[in-house]
Structures are given as C-alpha cells and as structure tokens.
Amino acid sequence: MPWFFLMELINPTNGNANSRAQANANAKAIDARIPRTRAYHKSLKEYNLKHNDYRRYIQFLVIVGPDPHVILFKPNDQEMIPGGALDATESELDGLKRLWRELFHAGSISDHQIDDEVQFKDVVGQWYRPDLSDELYPYRTKYVNSYKEHIKTYLVELKKPLQITYPHVFKNCIMIDLYDIYDKKDPVVSSIPLMLSRFCFTSD
C-alpha cells in the first residue's frame, strides 16, 4: 500500500477582483467553470461543436494535513474539486501546470516553482460525460458512441507547505475531513474517500 506524506495548507487567500468591470466579467464567467450549471453545459456544447471532439477536464485532489483534509472550492451551496478544462491542442502536462498556476497561484508561479512545490502523483479517477447533462459514468460504455467530456482526477502530493491564492470567482476555499464527504450530492466529490482508500497517509 503506497504512502502519502501530508503537508499543511497556509492561510488560503481569495484573489480579489481589481475593478467593478472585472467583477462583472467574473460573475458572468463563474457558472461556465462550475460543473452542473447551465452555463457550464453551454460552454461544453460550444466546445464539442467547434472541435468535433470531447473536452478534456482535469481535477486536482489536494490532501493536506496533519489529519487528511481535502481542499474544495465552494462557489455556491455545493462543493467542487478544483479543476478546469484543457485547451484543445494543449498537452496534459502543460495543462496540469497551467491550471495549477491559475487555480492556486493567481497565475504568478513558474513551471520550475511548480515542480518544486507539487507532484501530480496518480490518476485516481476517470469520468465520462455521455451527453449535455449532469450524468457521469466511471467507465466507457458501449452504448455511447461519442462522449462530451472526459474528466481525470489527479491526486496531488505537496512537497512543502502550500500557500495559495485561489480565483475570486470560486468565492470560498474550504478544507473538509474525509469522513464528512460521503453524504455530498456530487457523485465525484462523494467518491473521494474510495479513490483514496489504497493510500496510507502520514504527516510524520
């Protein structure tokens, strides 16, 4: 059973909008970045039509200590795993670093600094969206010929204590204990303990 070393999260801060215009733009953009919203499904449909292909989406499962807690964003009344869509021609590694930079450092960290800070350890979950709905499958079914979205959940191991500045549009960043996750409405969020069950956690 693999061991996973826990680091602490240091005072997460919300990246404030710089102006009223920026705040309004963020308000319009927020739903397009949050799964299970009408704007999200609209942006997904536009991507599918433009590229004639499914969209790739990455989630970051960040576990911090000293006791195992999961970092989640809470833009509304429901929690979400931090993540975002890859660009059509973007490699997965480039997309991982870009999204990490945008979601946790307000764009102000280099690739070298990311390498010193985190290890994108394992893909612990994969999900397939068969249509423009909230339904997700944890496998590719033979009854669906063309998927709309492929979601990968990466477990992230921190190499040092993490201090983050998360995007203003996500409003709240919370740390939630693993045993408090089972009753969440989002099927991906509620499955986090199962995805992590093969790991042993330590902060010593």
Side-chain angles (χ1 to χ4, degrees):
M1 185 173 288
W3 284 87
F4 189 95
F5 191 79
L6 297 172
M7 289 289 185
E8 294 188 7
L9 178 65
I10 305 172
N11 298 327
T13 57
N14 188 315
N16 293 323
N18 294 324
S19 65
R20 182 178 296 275
Q22 182 63 46
N24 291 336
N26 284 342
K28 294 178 180 179
I30 182 171
D31 284 347
R33 301 178 63 179
I34 300 172
R36 298 194 294 159
T37 61
R38 183 177 299 178
Y40 183 92
H41 294 312
K42 180 181 178 181
S43 70
L44 178 58
K45 180 179 180 180
E46 290 172 351
Y47 181 98
N48 297 148
L49 291 173
K50 180 178 180 180
H51 300 286
N52 194 30
D53 201 359
Y54 62 83
R55 185 170 70 179
R56 298 170 297 154
Y57 188 96
I58 296 294
Q59 294 177 323
F60 295 108
L61 199 51
V62 185
I63 315 299
V64 295
D67 296 319
H69 282 68
V70 183
I71 295 178
L72 299 175
F73 289 161
K74 192 172 183 179
N76 46 39
D77 62 341
Q78 297 182 19
E79 298 86 358
M80 62 174 283
I81 301 173
L86 299 182
D87 295 334
T89 59
E90 190 173 37
S91 73
E92 194 159 301
L93 180 58
D94 288 344
L96 281 165
K97 292 184 176 182
R98 174 182 61 80
L99 289 169
W100 182 265
R101 183 181 299 112
E102 293 175 359
L103 292 170
F104 295 105
H105 290 286
S108 59
I109 186 174
S110 68
D111 283 358
H112 179 71
Q113 289 172 308
I114 293 175
D115 292 336
D116 289 341
E117 181 176 77
V118 299
Q119 177 185 358
F120 303 117
K121 192 173 181 66
D122 288 289
V123 176
V124 293
Q126 295 194 67
W127 308 85
Y128 299 88
R129 192 182 303 277
D131 50 37
L132 298 174
S133 71
D134 296 333
E135 190 174 44
L136 295 174
Y137 293 160
Y139 56 86
R140 293 179 65 96
T141 171
K142 63 182 180 181
Y143 302 108
V144 178
N145 294 323
S146 178
Y147 288 88
K148 303 301 181 184
E149 190 169 44
H150 180 202
I151 301 170
K152 283 188 178 182
T153 307
Y154 271 86
L155 179 61
V156 179
E157 186 165 24
L158 304 176
K159 298 179 182 179
K160 56 186 179 181
L162 179 64
Q163 186 167 10
I164 68 173
T165 300
Y166 59 96
H168 175 76
V169 295
F170 292 115
K171 296 185 181 178
N172 295 295
C173 175
I174 62 174
M175 292 184 295
I176 186 167
D177 203 307
L178 288 181
Y179 63 73
D180 287 329
I181 290 180
Y182 285 108
D183 61 348
K184 299 302 179 184
K185 295 180 181 179
D186 188 300
V188 179
V189 172
S190 64
S191 68
I192 288 175
L194 297 178
M195 288 191 273
L196 299 178
S197 61
R198 68 186 180 93
F199 292 92
C200 289
F201 295 96
T202 181
S203 58
D204 299 328

